[in-house]
Amino acid sequence: MPVATQLVPAELVLVGPILDIVNYTGIAVFAVSGALVAARKNLDIIASIFFATVAGIGGGSLRDVFTGVQVNWILSPAPLVLCIAVGVLVWLLPTRIWPERALEWFDAGGLAAFAVFGTGKALSLGAAPLPAVAMGVMSACMGGVIRDVVAGVPSILLRNELYVTAALLAAGVFLGLTMAGLSSGLATILATLCGFSLRGAAIHWGLRLPRHKG
């Protein structure tokens, strides 16, 4: 029996409707963040779709590769179709309608959602708790990292912001609540809110962890 199922009841971590909703929400909001990068650089519609796709499914693709399962958008085109639709929609809208920090807030939503979904999916595949949390954090952060690298801007991970920390909080809260016996649906909602709240507080108030003093 896998270690994870010894510690976490299997029926609580199976990827169900609530986690699926969180996953598609994460894809959509990450895709918006990617398309906004293209829009603010005045790129064409194909670039908008490309950035939306890279941001929307990049982290999840890496998660699936590392966990040894078929990449989800190859099995079902729905995530890819969603990214394309978002890329087109954002490109058609004028950039002036988006708040100045819209990209960061959409990114925060995707970060929290993917951290929870990635952790839940890893647990459902039999991963032990610590690797499951690591997989959730990785899948949450890598979409934004890939987007920034492609856009030629400094990675969010190098800006001394509460980014990985927020993903870690979301993944850790989901794991803790699940191990405590809470239903996966309620654990998903609470953990996503925790991760989004911390990232949102960091955006609004400029919260940061202390830097290394060298």
Side-chain angles (χ1 to χ4, degrees):
M1 180 179 294
V3 174
T5 56
Q6 293 175 354
L7 298 175
V8 183
E11 67 273 11
L12 294 180
V13 297
L14 294 175
V15 178
I18 297 297
L19 276 170
D20 282 338
I21 291 171
V22 168
N23 179 42
Y24 280 102
T25 300
I27 291 172
V29 294
F30 258 143
V32 171
S33 77
L36 278 174
V37 171
R40 288 175 175 174
K41 288 180 174 289
N42 302 116
L43 301 178
D44 60 43
I45 191 169
I46 300 302
S48 179
I49 293 172
F50 178 76
F51 273 86
T53 303
V54 164
I57 62 178
S61 297
L62 287 175
R63 177 199 62 228
D64 291 342
V65 168
F66 287 139
T67 52
V69 300
Q70 187 73 43
V71 176
N72 67 341
W73 54 269
I74 293 178
L75 292 175
S76 169
L80 188 57
V81 171
L82 179 58
C83 290
I84 293 171
V86 168
V88 171
L89 179 61
V90 172
W91 190 83
L92 291 174
L93 296 173
T95 54
R96 65 176 180 273
I97 73 167
W98 302 101
E100 182 181 355
R101 308 195 77 172
L103 191 156
E104 293 171 286
W105 284 102
F106 277 106
D107 185 80
L111 182 80
F114 269 20
V116 171
F117 180 81
T119 304
K121 184 168 185 178
L123 288 171
S124 71
L125 292 171
L130 185 58
V133 168
M135 192 57 62
V137 171
M138 184 180 298
S139 62
C141 296
M142 290 310 296
V145 170
I146 296 171
R147 177 199 62 218
D148 292 343
V149 170
V150 173
V153 299
S155 168
I156 185 71
L157 301 185
L158 300 178
R159 300 179 209 164
N160 191 37
E161 298 188 23
L162 293 182
Y163 195 77
V164 176
T165 308
L168 182 60
L169 176 65
V173 168
F174 177 78
L175 175 67
L177 293 177
T178 301
M179 292 180 67
L182 205 64
S183 69
S184 61
L186 187 53
T188 296
I189 294 170
L190 293 176
T192 303
L193 287 175
C194 285
F196 180 77
S197 297
L198 179 58
R199 180 63 188 138
I203 293 171
H204 186 73
W205 288 296
L207 304 180
R208 289 172 170 81
L209 292 175
R211 285 183 176 271
H212 187 272
K213 294 181 180 179

